[in-house]
Amino acid sequence: MNYLETLFSLKGKTAIITGGSKGIGAEIALAFLNAGANIVCVSRSNLAKKKEINKFYKQCDITIAKEFNAICEYTISRYDNIDILVNAAGVSLPANKSLSNIDRFKKTLDINLTSLYQCCDIASRHMNNGGSILNITSIGSIMGFPNNPGYISSKGGVKMLTKSLAIDLSTNGIRVNNIAPGYIKTDMTKDSYENKQMHQERINRMIINRWGEVTDIIGAAIFLASDSSSYITGSEIVIDGGWTAKGI
């Protein structure tokens, strides 16, 4: 390997990626695979959208501790260790008649915050040689956005959970960091991306005048998972095209 490949290599490391069936999670999983890592991708879906990672894919509901613990035990039995956990699973639930506002709020926090903590708690017990936990938050963890208080609260909670776990897990040599994406083109943002007015309104808030692609996330993810970031914990990389930096 050349110098840069060595600097950011994940060769010999094993990663579990939640939310790995599509979007940011699937893109990170493929990037880690290409960087030399062993990967185990999990999600509630039957299969991953990226065929390259389907043979590394396992169906799992992360809200059920027993299921995620089984994933960790499978990973240990196959690869001997867990070095990296990427928590990319998350939901943004639209308002609908089937859920009251409070039930929508509770369900969002259960998936986005409580289950993420559960995954960190379980996986960290299997990270015997230290490691890196990477949580995917949102610019919604930094700024207020309308009509989705559960999502904003859950991502804000993850932001502070990361700082707390960075302290608690440091004694085991585990680093914990965030990536906070802005408006990235995924299934979750499809409606606003395809709506011409909403699409442009969001671009107007950015310094870099385009929506983000899932590939815009992978460089930071590889960096935070690799030994190149060995002195970074409790921190956050914001990837938002300059949204949170822009005033007028």
Side-chain angles (χ1 to χ4, degrees):
M1 291 190 293
N2 64 31
Y3 176 71
L4 284 179
E5 287 175 330
T6 302
L7 192 63
F8 298 108
S9 174
L10 300 181
K11 187 175 181 180
K13 295 184 182 295
T14 298
I16 296 176
I17 302 99
T18 74
S21 66
K22 58 186 178 181
I24 290 172
E27 198 67 36
I28 289 175
L30 180 58
F32 281 11
L33 183 66
N34 290 334
N38 306 310
I39 62 169
V40 177
C41 311
V42 301
S43 179
R44 287 181 295 179
S45 303
N46 291 328
L47 289 171
K49 284 193 172 183
K50 288 185 176 295
K51 62 181 181 180
E52 303 97 324
I53 62 175
N54 264 328
K55 65 180 179 179
F56 309 104
Y57 182 79
K58 295 285 184 181
Q59 193 171 18
C60 172
D61 184 342
I62 63 164
T63 67
I64 302 173
K66 185 177 180 180
E67 288 193 18
F68 187 72
N69 189 64
I71 291 294
C72 291
E73 290 179 348
Y74 161 80
T75 304
I76 291 291
S77 68
R78 181 164 183 178
Y79 299 115
D80 296 327
N81 194 44
I82 299 168
D83 304 286
I84 304 160
L85 170 66
V86 178
N87 288 304
V91 296
S92 177
L93 300 176
N96 61 67
K97 295 180 181 178
S98 64
L99 284 176
S100 67
N101 285 342
I102 190 63
D103 286 340
R104 176 187 173 212
F105 186 90
K106 287 179 178 178
K107 185 174 182 179
T108 303
L109 261 68
D110 183 44
I111 296 171
N112 290 3
L113 179 58
T114 305
S115 295
L116 183 147
Y117 170 69
Q118 180 170 263
C119 289
C120 291
D121 184 53
I122 294 171
S124 64
R125 299 178 203 168
H126 297 278
M127 299 173 87
N128 298 317
N129 300 319
S132 175
I133 294 176
L134 176 55
N135 298 323
I136 306 299
T137 59
S138 164
I139 57 172
S141 70
I142 303 168
M143 307 178 76
F145 288 83
N147 303 321
N148 202 346
Y151 184 79
I152 303 305
S153 298
S154 68
K155 293 301 184 178
V158 173
K159 177 184 176 76
M160 297 311 297
L161 174 64
T162 293
K163 293 179 182 295
S164 177
L165 289 179
I167 300 168
D168 294 345
L169 298 180
S170 64
T171 54
N172 297 326
I174 299 171
R175 299 181 296 109
V176 191
N177 292 291
N178 290 334
I179 287 179
Y183 275 87
I184 308 295
K185 182 184 176 184
T186 65
D187 288 353
M188 185 181 290
T189 59
K190 182 179 179 181
D191 289 346
S192 54
Y193 183 85
E194 294 181 349
N195 181 298
K196 288 184 179 180
Q197 180 180 342
M198 296 173 73
H199 183 101
Q200 189 59 45
E201 284 174 350
R202 281 147 181 76
I203 287 180
N204 292 342
R205 282 290 298 121
M206 302 170 193
I207 297 172
I208 299 173
N209 297 126
R210 66 171 177 84
W211 278 57
E213 301 285 344
V214 288
T215 50
D216 290 318
I217 306 298
I218 60 177
I222 290 173
F223 169 62
L224 289 174
S226 73
D227 293 338
S228 293
S229 59
S230 62
Y231 198 53
I232 300 175
T233 194
S235 294
E236 181 172 73
I237 296 178
V238 180
I239 305 174
D240 67 348
W243 181 299
T244 54
K246 188 175 181 180
I248 296 176

